[in-house]
């Protein structure tokens, strides 16, 4: 299949380099979804998936970690878009917070490979051995955390939450969601209470009783 793909792929016309870059990232995402394993994403495997020679990748990415960074950045952009859509479809600050949190948990369940790469320690690049920088890494997920903190802040403003430290409580709420998402993935046979997500969200967001 890879040989045929490489043989039939049409060369991008001049000015279409961005298209090839997108194809490289899309191929890496596809490999991650198929295998759930970051190590399966190599320059050679991605090149085969796209149908190009491996050296062609260097025009867009200096190394494998740079491809993975683009994959993770795209995953966060996808997650943020889902969270924003969930918030926009809900009425009231409390409902928006719950919608955001449930959307987060749904993303973790439906995209386990991407989620583990984003949050589960599946991908930890060596900054001394790659083109990535500390800024590349610590800016990942900033928008997601802001969405969570803003939704929690709206609850406080509306008087339905009692948080006095939005930054810390947003982190605590994220940790609760991440822990639940992780345990659901690794212990699928456990009899989870039907309202476990609501309990976690209510407690960590310091929500008042309705």
């Amino acid at each position: 299949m890879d040989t045929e793909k490489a043989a039939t792929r049409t060369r991008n016309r001049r000015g279409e380099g961005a298209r090839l870059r997108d194809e490289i990232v899309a191929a890496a995402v596809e490999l991650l979804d198929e295998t759930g394993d970051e190590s399966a994403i190599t320059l050679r495997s991605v090149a085969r998936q796209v149908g190009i020679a491996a050296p062609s990748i260097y025009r867009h990415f200096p190394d494998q970690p740079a491809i993975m960074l683009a994959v993770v950045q795209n995953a966060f952009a996808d997650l943020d878009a889902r969270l924003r859509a969930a918030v926009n479809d809900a009425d009231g600050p409390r409902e928006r917070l719950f919608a955001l949190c449930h959307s987060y948990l749904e993303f973790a369940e439906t995209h386990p490979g991407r989620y583990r790469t984003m949050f589960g320690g599946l991908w930890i690049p060596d900054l001394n051995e790659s083109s990535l920088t500390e800024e590349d890494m610590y800016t990942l997920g900033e928008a997601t955390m802001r969405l969570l903190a803003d939704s929690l802040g709206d609850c406080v403003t509306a008087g339905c939450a009692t948080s006095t430290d939005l930054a810390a409580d947003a982190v605590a709420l994220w940790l609760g969601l991440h822990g639940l998402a992780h345990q659901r993935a690794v212990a699928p046979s456990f009899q989870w209470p039907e309202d476990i997500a609501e309990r976690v969200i209510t407690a960590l967001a310091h929500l008042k009783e309705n």
Side-chain angles (χ1 to χ4, degrees), residues 98-170:
F98 274 104
L100 184 152
C101 292
H102 281 290
S103 181
Y104 178 97
L105 292 171
E106 181 182 10
F107 180 89
E109 182 179 2
T110 56
H111 299 289
R114 299 184 207 180
Y115 184 80
R116 288 195 302 272
T117 303
M118 297 160 72
F119 296 109
L122 181 65
W123 177 60
I124 305 178
D126 185 344
L127 300 184
N128 294 321
E129 298 294 332
S130 73
S131 63
L132 306 190
T133 66
E134 289 185 4
E135 183 177 5
D136 289 330
M137 301 306 297
Y138 73 64
T139 55
L140 290 173
E142 280 189 337
T144 305
M145 190 58 68
R146 281 198 301 272
L147 283 170
L148 195 59
D150 289 346
S151 292
L152 179 56
D154 289 343
C155 288
V156 172
T157 300
C160 56
T162 60
S163 171
T164 58
D165 189 337
L166 287 178
D169 286 335

Side-chain angles (χ1 to χ4, degrees), residues 116 179-190 192:
R116 288 195 302 272
L180 178 57
H182 173 76
Q183 288 305 123
R184 279 178 169 175
V186 300
S189 61
F190 185 79
W192 297 99

Side-chain angles (χ1 to χ4, degrees), residues 16 47 52 54 61 89 100:
E16 292 185 338
I52 59 176
F61 298 97
D89 287 342
L100 184 152

